[in-house]
Amino acid sequence: MSESLKRVVLVDDHQMFRTGVKAELGGGVEIVGEAGDVDEAVAVIRGTRPDVVLLDVHLPGGGGIEVLRRLHGSVPSKFLALSVSDAAEDVIGVVRGGARGYVTKTISGPELTDAIGRVADGDAVFSPRLAGFVLDAFAATDAPSVDPELDQITQRERDVLRLIARGYAYKEIAKELFISVKTVETHVSSVLRKLQLSNRHELSRWAAARRLV
């Protein structure tokens, strides 16, 4: 690999997505490590000390914010969030945590390669639709705060939770998300445990309070 290539660690809990990103980036960067959860990410980043970490927001073990918290000040790496989410609490949370940019997963390979290079050189990079939003959010006195409880929940768990809050039965949720009823039950149990709630009615109220419906 050429020494001019930026060294990158790719953090996302979906193996197929990581494979796709590597294919899209081609030879534009040097992938020096991968991770699928918070603990693995922290270990790989400490071990490789890349120029840039491509960091998903929602990860098992506490999310991208937890990775940033654990590594704060201990590595020279820059962090670029790469997520399907453009929710205010996600964007603001990782930026406050130390990320230098936030792009969504609709970005093209060449655009991502360019964003990695710019972040490595010290620039702040955001998807066009998010740039103005970020500025407005930080200027506002009522900028959305980071929600530690919400960050514990994976994207798929949010999908299930949103449908529960809308009154869907487990069988309907399974059909809507193309998963089994058993998988729906597993997701619900996981969310109940993480949030220390007792039943789906409490889940519905919790989701409604955070406007997830």
Side-chain angles (χ1 to χ4, degrees):
M1 288 287 182
S2 168
E3 291 184 0
S4 65
L5 295 182
K6 303 303 181 185
R7 301 172 66 256
V8 174
V9 164
L10 178 55
V11 181
D12 192 283
D13 61 339
H14 293 97
Q15 173 67 52
M16 289 183 64
F17 176 75
R18 298 202 305 268
T19 300
V21 170
K22 287 189 291 184
E24 283 291 320
L25 290 174
V29 302
E30 180 184 0
I31 304 294
V32 296
E34 298 179 47
D37 60 37
V38 169
D39 289 340
E40 190 178 15
V42 170
V44 170
I45 294 165
R46 281 178 175 158
T48 59
R49 300 171 74 84
D51 298 308
V52 176
V53 178
L54 286 179
L55 181 66
D56 193 11
V57 174
H58 301 288
L59 294 167
I65 291 176
E66 179 65 11
V67 174
L68 290 163
R69 186 190 68 79
R70 291 199 203 174
L71 293 172
H72 181 69
S74 66
V75 294
S77 309
K78 305 290 198 311
F79 291 82
L80 174 61
L82 175 63
S83 177
V84 70
S85 171
D86 59 2
E89 64 269 19
D90 289 336
V91 179
I92 294 172
V94 294
V95 172
R96 282 180 173 158
R100 291 292 301 172
Y102 194 115
V103 294
T104 61
K105 290 181 177 179
T106 57
I107 193 170
S108 70
E111 289 171 337
L112 184 56
T113 300
D114 179 67
I116 289 168
R118 289 167 59 195
V119 167
D121 292 338
D123 290 345
V125 179
F126 295 91
S127 289
R129 201 173 74 80
L130 301 180
F133 157 75
V134 172
L135 292 172
D136 292 344
F138 276 90
T141 56
D142 59 346
S145 60
V146 178
D147 188 332
E149 286 188 332
L150 190 61
D151 196 59
Q152 296 180 64
I153 302 173
T154 67
Q155 186 60 50
R156 181 45 62 124
E157 288 170 347
R158 288 193 191 200
D159 294 339
V160 171
L161 183 55
R162 187 175 292 111
L163 293 176
I164 283 178
R166 292 176 182 172
Y168 282 56
Y170 285 3
K171 188 177 295 185
E172 294 171 322
I173 295 172
K175 183 178 180 181
E176 183 77 15
L177 299 179
F178 302 101
I179 58 179
S180 69
V181 173
K182 181 66 175 176
T183 300
V184 174
E185 294 172 348
T186 299
H187 285 314
V188 171
S189 297
S190 174
V191 175
L192 287 171
R193 184 182 68 254
K194 289 177 180 178
L195 301 180
Q196 298 183 342
L197 300 176
S198 301
N199 53 57
R200 62 176 295 164
H201 301 295
E202 291 183 0
L203 275 182
S204 295
R205 290 196 295 269
W206 187 91
R210 285 159 178 78
R211 301 180 181 178
L212 296 181
V213 182

